[in-house]
Amino acid sequence: MSSVIPIVALDVPTMQDALRLVDTLGESCRFYKVGSELFTAAGPDAVRAIRASGCEVFLDLKLHDIPNTVRGAARSAATLGARLLTVHAVGGVAMVRAAVEGAGETCGVLAVTVLTSLDAPAFAASAGRDPKTLEVGAEVLRLAGIAREAQAHGVVCSGHEAAAVRAKFGDTLQLLVPGIRLAQGDAHDQARIVTPRVAASLGARYIVLGRAVTGASAPAAIMREVHASLAVQSRK
C-alpha cells in the first residue's frame, strides 16, 4: 500500500491566519490545502507563501468552465507551484483533459465527483433527479470514469465510495478523501465522513483534515495522532 499523505485545510480568512497555522503545525504537516476562502482573500500569494515555507500546496478551486479557460487556469496553478489542483468532473472529458494538459507533469489534476457535504436526497435535489432512484455511489463511479478517460491524476470522493472506485479503477486514479474526522469527532457540515485510518484502509492516497485539526487546542498533537494512526494501518 502506498503511504497516505495527510493534507490540512487552511480554510481561514487571512494569510496571517494561514501562516500562523503552518508555523504551529511545523514538521507535523508539510502539505496544505488552499481553497476558495483563502485564495479569494489572498490570491496567488497564498500559494507562494506556503511554498516558500517549504510545504506543498493542494489548490482546491474546483474549476468548472470552458476547456480553454480551465487549461489556462491549470497552467497558472502549476506555474505557482501547486502540486494538486481540483476541477469538477461534471465539466466533462474535454474540460478535465484540458486541465491535465495545462497542469503538465508537475501538478496533478483531481476531478471532484460528489461533494462530501451532500447526502443522497440533497444530491438528487441539486441534480434534478428522483431521490428514490439516484445512487450516490453509481454517480461517483460515473464521474470517476470521466476522470479516467481524461487521464486525470485522480478523483475526490468520500470514504464511502473509495473502495468501489479503487475496485473499478485500481491505481489508475489516485483517491483524495476529504471530510476526514477523528474518532468521536464532530461531523460539522459533512454528511459522508470517515476516520484517517478507515480512509487509508479503503485505498486513499491523500486525506484532507480541516477543523478536526485546525480547531483543536493542540493542532500539532492531533496531527501526530493522525500520523500514528496511519502508520498502524500501513503495517497491516
Side-chain angles (χ1 to χ4, degrees):
M1 175 188 294
S2 299
S3 59
V4 179
I5 299 174
I7 301 172
V8 169
L10 296 175
D11 293 329
V12 292
T14 71
M15 197 64 240
Q16 290 77 12
D17 292 328
L19 292 178
R20 190 177 301 114
L21 272 169
V22 172
D23 183 60
T24 297
L25 288 168
E27 292 300 318
S28 70
C29 181
R30 308 307 291 163
F31 213 132
Y32 290 93
K33 186 196 88 166
V34 173
S36 298
E37 182 178 8
L38 182 57
F39 196 79
T40 301
D45 284 345
V47 179
R48 295 190 185 102
I50 295 164
R51 292 288 292 128
S53 73
C55 299
E56 304 287 6
V57 174
F58 161 37
L59 190 53
D60 186 24
L61 298 183
K62 300 181 178 69
L63 301 174
H64 187 186
D65 212 315
I66 63 173
N68 190 57
T69 297
V70 170
R71 181 184 291 107
R75 184 182 302 116
S76 294
T79 300
L80 282 173
R83 291 292 177 257
L84 296 172
L85 172 71
T86 49
V87 303
H88 270 294
V90 293
V93 173
M95 190 206 77
V96 178
R97 183 179 291 126
V100 172
E101 293 167 356
E105 296 183 359
T106 62
C107 180
V109 172
L110 301 171
V112 176
T113 56
V114 177
L115 297 174
T116 52
S117 59
L118 298 176
D119 57 15
F123 182 63
S126 70
R129 301 275 297 277
D130 184 347
K132 295 179 181 179
T133 59
L134 181 141
E135 295 182 7
V136 171
E139 285 298 302
V140 169
L141 289 176
R142 180 183 70 81
L143 293 166
I146 290 173
R148 178 68 188 96
E149 185 176 349
Q151 297 185 307
H153 175 62
V155 296
V156 179
C157 66
S158 87
H160 292 228
E161 295 86 41
V165 175
R166 175 66 67 204
K168 184 168 183 176
F169 298 100
D171 291 332
T172 63
L173 289 174
Q174 299 301 308
L175 308 185
L176 183 146
V177 176
I180 298 294
R181 293 294 181 268
L182 306 181
Q184 310 304 318
D186 192 328
H188 296 116
D189 56 357
Q190 302 286 1
R192 296 168 9 258
I193 60 176
V194 293
T195 65
R197 192 166 171 179
V198 169
S201 72
L202 295 171
R205 174 65 172 135
Y206 312 97
I207 60 173
V208 177
L209 301 111
R211 284 163 286 185
V213 171
T214 60
S217 58
I222 295 297
M223 280 303 294
R224 287 192 289 271
E225 290 181 18
V226 170
H227 285 293
S229 175
L230 293 174
V232 169
Q233 181 59 41
S234 69
R235 291 196 293 268
K236 289 192 171 184

